[in-house]
Amino acid sequence: LVSRNRYDFRILCYGLRVMSYETPGFPKKHKLWYNINSNLFLLHHPMLSNEQLKKILKQADIMPPQEFEKIIKEAEKYGKKTENYLIEKKIITSDSLYESAAKYFKVPFVNLKDQIVRKDILLNIPEPIASTQQIIAFAADEKEIKIACLDPENIEIFEFIKKKTGLEPKIFLTTPESFDDALKQYHKNL
């Protein structure tokens, strides 16, 4: 499965092949998967890369690139992810950061905190996929399904959802806190 020059990552979930990545040239921003004893595991990466953060903060006129470089060094000094360090130091709130990120990615922003999602809509994306891919369905009609996510560039999973549901995905960016809050709805009223 793994060699020096080529990686082929595959997932099987509910008997369906979800994704396959092959490299050389494997994009490092994507999540990497592996399957052990039929359990899915995700090798995590930061929600937003330092390069994305730099561009987002510059575009929103929140912080010039030179000042951001200092923040990166401070975060590394304390062993923290830059995104978390910015929020902890109250340089920016999570909502403001992800609203700015939504503008950067040219997708709408949604806050799912305290929003109740109908169970039939929620279950369009099985919980293992929702939690590992960090996507959640929160609304749908006969033509489209609205999906909140933390990585709007995860095109492969959106294509999978389109094939699985037959609905056109409309992608929204949300905060990690909002996502975690919405994810808890899978376990409500069991």
Side-chain angles (χ1 to χ4, degrees):
L1 184 65
V2 177
S3 73
R4 288 189 157 200
N5 298 330
R6 180 181 163 133
Y7 298 88
D8 186 9
F9 295 93
R10 291 201 169 114
I11 313 170
L12 294 176
C13 186
Y14 299 105
L16 301 171
R17 185 170 143 238
V18 177
M19 289 185 195
S20 174
Y21 294 113
E22 295 184 23
T23 53
F26 183 79
K28 293 185 181 192
K29 67 183 177 181
H30 287 286
K31 300 167 180 77
L32 305 177
W33 296 84
Y34 62 99
N35 187 335
I36 296 177
N37 298 330
S38 300
N39 294 317
L40 296 176
F41 293 87
L42 172 64
L43 303 174
H44 289 280
H45 66 83
M47 301 302 166
L48 297 169
S49 71
N50 284 347
E51 195 58 37
Q52 288 171 329
L53 283 168
K54 181 193 243 179
K55 291 175 183 175
I56 290 164
L57 296 174
K58 182 182 178 202
Q59 180 181 323
D61 288 327
I62 294 168
M63 182 181 294
Q66 304 84 356
E67 192 177 328
F68 182 71
E69 294 300 325
K70 292 177 189 172
I71 294 292
I72 291 173
K73 288 177 183 166
E74 284 179 35
E76 287 174 358
K77 178 180 163 185
Y78 295 110
K80 299 187 181 241
K81 293 179 184 173
T82 307
E83 179 181 332
N84 295 342
Y85 188 75
L86 287 165
I87 294 165
E88 285 174 21
K89 288 292 184 187
K90 299 184 192 258
I91 294 168
I92 191 168
T93 65
S94 185
D95 283 350
S96 295
L97 176 59
Y98 277 84
E99 285 173 19
S100 298
K103 289 176 188 164
Y104 171 78
F105 289 116
K106 296 177 175 61
V107 297
F109 175 81
V110 66
N111 187 341
L112 298 174
K113 206 150 185 71
D114 303 323
Q115 185 174 331
I116 297 172
V117 180
R118 285 188 357 224
K119 204 69 155 176
D120 62 318
I121 293 171
L122 191 67
L123 295 176
N124 275 301
I125 301 174
E127 184 189 8
I129 293 173
S131 62
T132 55
Q133 289 292 322
Q134 298 172 319
I135 61 173
I136 196 156
F138 67 93
D141 59 29
E142 62 279 344
K143 293 183 182 174
E144 74 178 10
I145 184 167
K146 294 181 179 179
I147 300 172
C149 68
L150 297 177
D151 180 4
E153 295 182 324
N154 191 352
I155 303 303
E156 294 90 353
I157 194 63
F158 303 133
E159 289 173 0
F160 169 75
I161 298 300
K162 182 178 181 177
K163 287 178 188 172
K164 181 183 176 291
T165 64
L167 301 171
E168 188 65 39
K170 180 165 170 118
I171 310 307
F172 291 75
L173 191 65
T174 193
T175 66
E177 300 82 12
S178 177
F179 173 79
D180 290 342
D181 194 53
L183 196 62
K184 292 174 188 171
Q185 294 187 46
Y186 277 99
H187 299 288
K188 288 185 180 176
N189 303 323
L190 290 180

